[in-house]
Amino acid sequence: MSEVSRRHFLKLGACVVGGACAADALPSLGQAADNGDVTTLRTTLPYPRLKLAAIGQLTTEHELLTTYPDQASPVVLVKLGRPAHNGVGPDRDIVAFSRRCSHMGGALAFRAETGTFHCPLHYAMFDARKGGLMVIGQATDNLPQIELEVDTTGDIYAVGVKGLLYGRQANMLA
Amino acid sequence: MSSTYHGEDRVPIPPADAQQFTTVCSYCIVGCGYKVYKWPLGKEGGPLPHQNALKADYRRQQPEQAGTWISPAMHSVITERNGQRFNIVVLPDKDCVVNKGNHSVRGGTHGDVLYAPDRPTADRLTHPLLYRGQSQLPTTWDEAIELGALVIKASLDKWGSDTIAMKFFDHGGGGGGFENNWAAGKFFFTGIGTKMASIHNRPAYNSEVFASGDAGIAPLPSAYLDAELADTIMVIGANSYETQSIYFLEHMLPNLGGGTLPLKQQLLPGEPHAHGRMIIVDPRRTSTVAVAEAHAGKDNVLHLQINNGTDIALLNALSRLIHEQGWHDQEFIARRTENFAAFQAANLAQNLDEAVRLTGISKAQMMTAAEWIAKPKVNTARRRTLFLYEKGLIWGLKNYENVASVVDLALLTGNLGKPGTGCGRLGGHQEGYSRPAYPGQRPPVNVDEIAIKGGASKVFWVAGCNPAGGTLNAQQFRAYLAHRTALVNQALDATSSGSLNDRMAAVMTALDKGGLFLIVQDIYPIETAKYAHIVFPAAQWGEMNLTSINGERRLRLYQQFMDAPGIAEPDWKIMARMAQRLESAYRAEGKAEMAARFSGFTWTSDEEVFRAASAGVKGAQEDYGDTTYAMLKALGTNGVQTPVQEIRQGMPVGTTRLYMDEKQFTFIPSAWPGFPPQIQKLIDDPRYPFWVNNGRANHGWQTLYDDLRKPYVMGRAPFPHVEIHPQDARSLDIANGDLIELFNPYGTVSAMAVVTDSNAPGHVFMLFEHPKGWLNSLTTDYVDPATTIPYYKGTKAGIRKLGELPGLGEQLSFIPTNRT
């Protein structure tokens, strides 16, 4: 499945990714189907490739707290137990997100029974299975998701960030 | 699968020499302050504090709530009329006392809706359009105004003032502002003189709170400070976390959490203080209920899950309980009110058992509410209760009595004109009303019925609203609109002449045979514009200077910071163009009196209109007196709270809270009236078993006119949603994300199911406005005969499953929003 960033939206016209196209709500713009050729988001920043954990360290629904791409950026790695958008690992259920709310930077708490992140500041809620989709709240973007890779030994690496981390002008600090 | 998101991992920051402007959110009544930064494309500020306009050190992670973080949705690249390109950042202002740097998902995404020819806003209306041969084609202002003036003048001369109908914005913020409202009112009331006027999303020219006005209470008497000082906040018919988000988060919640205790002790010494409590009257368990409970603890939040349409019975029962306990404010009633006897005979006669049966709320819950509203804290200190209501009450069963019953409750308990009290609207749009007097009577004429469906008007000018979907009984309205405008299309199609006079003659023949000439003025090609013969492109927020007030009467200047697209113009200029053309036409015929009616539109700046509009607010809650743009510019995002009492040392002196004086009020008797025949017929018909309540949702604003251009929003709301109870969903075999149909004798609409226990079984909730399914296709034609305000919030329908839409369930999240 493809990911489409806003840059691609501009090029293609507005469309809800994932098959349901909202383009005819925008009559004068072009339509675009879910195009398999659309590449995943290409980051322009030099993200480090950092090992976050080994698969064996993770137990379902338990968070592992770490940082990425630097120590000032708390992230949470979690095995959800159900397949998730951009999930990695044999069950496609391992995901990682920034722990700073994309509204105003509140420290998020994970709730395993719903698979959601919750902000104590203004009660935003994000769905870990749906790529950090904001379920409700006042954030203007989904929760930034950490791009993960798993190597043949089962080590999980962070390789990039989708979306701008709260409190930064660029995800990599100058 | 994925959902839509912005995806950038960096944003440009404004350089130290970026141009700076102050403005206010274009959307809801709360009116959060924003700063706008503008600088040439290709340039960026640096990470060191002296290298950027925010004076922030971007080498470091900014702390939470810093007010210096620019989200990608707050940034855009625009192209001005001269081709120059600029970065724009619209950032919440941490120095504004309304929002303190906070923002909703609506206001925080302004970057996404600035006009840009290479972004989803590319479909803004850029040029006037004229109906030509089954199309709407671009034309010049002169040509469009000329044909419009010919048809308006010929109709006015032949059939009189009421032949010209209008449905216009009348609000503030992106919904108009004092400038545009004054020009529109002067054109239609002084110029045309029509009674066939209607406002925004309603069928007539009316206040939504006539009863409050009759009681002597302006719609917005309190300050947001009062929500920080109240002992109890009673919210009736509003989902404030989602619809007045920042008022709720920045002013109500801190009180519920005890954060304002020091302020209470400081400003209100000599009485006991505690964390605030909240009573929420809503047929749904909303996110507002959940968030209030999470913040205040369940013991301090009382959700009265009322049956649709029974507010009057509830509020009168509360009045009765309070009066029986002797908790009413006898001193206030005696000194500052009249007509108590009539109130006693009507409201206090509410039978309590009947109220329990009608409302579905237990006597114990009613008693708790009565205590929280009025049981004195100590012998010498009454509770300070702030009553805040919005569309659930205003658009409820019977507008006049609905509003009267809460106003009466506030008067009974003496909750006006004191810190921490009040009784007013939460509000939808901001306000910015200033117009010459409407020439019609009360109750105002139902323009939808009489002028459009009934044919009494032949020209219909619609601006800044979308009645094809947004008015009551909208399916029937669309049918008339389509039929009557098509008669004009056919006449124009049959005209082979290039002369506008010949076209006007053809139009007049069609109007004589029942046709309707439609002018639509908007920023986008909305659904109503599809039927139009002339489309005028308007400027929006940020493209002109405008002024408005928020929900605590805070007047501010919303500065222009960019060009309008193409040759679009501010609404006031469009009205002035048409008025000047009519004035010269009448002058050419020697009709001096008619010419005079259309004179005085020679303004050359936004501020000239603002000054002219001060005549229309004299003595009202909006009265801004001699305030100028320069004063407001100096006051920035904090502005001044109207009414302005005087100009002292060159600056306006405002009013924090109304009625601190000895102002007198009147009780308005109101008894529960029962259901009107249209609704009773639906109640009695087993084919329509579901009550259909409706309202707004957090991420969208109004008709979604801007949101349709925000992929982040539409990715979450590709269709309108219907919340249905799991029990009902089971019996209809409906699952999350299924497409369903709702139907009744008034129309049909499709929507997406969301299975949740937010409503009681047998009750569903649908999003009020969405271009892919208008709830109003189901609403009846019933209006309160006293006010001509519709009962939008209550209709009944049958529901059937249409099927699944592949992928939708994966794309969206169906985790309940009313849990924390």
Side-chain angles (χ1 to χ4, degrees), chain B residues 254-378:
Chain B
N255 182 0
L256 302 192
T260 63
L261 272 172
L263 189 67
K264 290 180 178 183
Q265 279 148 2
Q266 181 202 332
L267 296 180
L268 305 168
E271 65 183 75
H273 292 292
H275 294 208
R277 287 175 177 161
M278 183 170 270
I279 303 168
I280 301 168
V281 182
D282 199 307
R284 269 195 311 160
R285 180 184 161 83
T286 58
S287 60
T288 300
V289 177
V291 170
E293 284 180 355
H295 205 80
K298 286 194 175 185
D299 291 347
N300 291 314
V301 178
L302 179 64
H303 175 209
L304 301 178
Q305 193 160 10
I306 190 174
N307 286 330
N308 198 316
T310 63
D311 305 74
I312 301 164
L314 172 67
L315 293 164
N316 287 349
L318 295 179
S319 282
R320 179 172 178 158
L321 285 170
I322 287 166
H323 191 252
E324 284 177 356
Q325 296 294 326
W327 294 338
H328 53 292
D329 190 339
Q330 190 54 51
E331 191 269 338
F332 181 92
I333 295 167
R335 189 165 53 85
R336 295 187 62 177
T337 71
E338 54 187 45
N339 212 25
F340 183 81
F343 159 77
Q344 192 162 23
N347 305 44
L348 298 187
Q350 174 64 54
N351 179 288
L352 293 179
D353 292 329
E354 187 203 26
V356 169
R357 183 181 58 78
L358 286 169
T359 62
I361 293 165
S362 71
K363 210 174 274 184
Q365 278 192 307
M366 288 187 192
M367 199 62 215
T368 304
E371 284 181 22
W372 288 15
I373 291 168
K375 186 180 180 184
K377 295 195 278 190
V378 289

Side-chain angles (χ1 to χ4, degrees), chain A residues 1 3 6 16 28 47 103-104 111 122-123 127 130 134-135 137-138 140 164 166-169 171, chain B residues 2 6 8-9 11 61-63 65 69 71 102-103 105 112 123 241 295 698 716 811-813 820:
Chain A
M1 285 299 150
E3 302 286 359
R6 186 161 70 167
V16 177
S28 73
Y47 288 105
H103 177 222
M104 297 183 78
R111 195 158 301 157
H122 309 109
Y123 298 93
D127 190 335
K130 303 289 172 76
M134 184 176 74
V135 179
Q138 309 307 338
T140 60
L164 184 63
Y166 169 81
R168 298 183 174 209
Q169 178 263 326
N171 282 346
Chain B
S2 172
H6 287 91
E8 278 92 340
D9 58 3
V11 286
Q61 169 74 36
Q62 305 295 302
Q65 306 190 79
W69 184 58
S71 92
N102 206 340
H103 65 85
V105 59
D112 286 344
D123 71 335
Y241 179 62
H295 205 80
N698 182 57
R716 303 179 67 255
Q811 174 198 335
L812 304 171
S813 179
T820 53

Side-chain angles (χ1 to χ4, degrees), chain B residues 110 480 540 594 740:
Chain B
H110 267 112
Y480 278 94
Q540 72 157 343
M594 284 305 290
I740 60 175

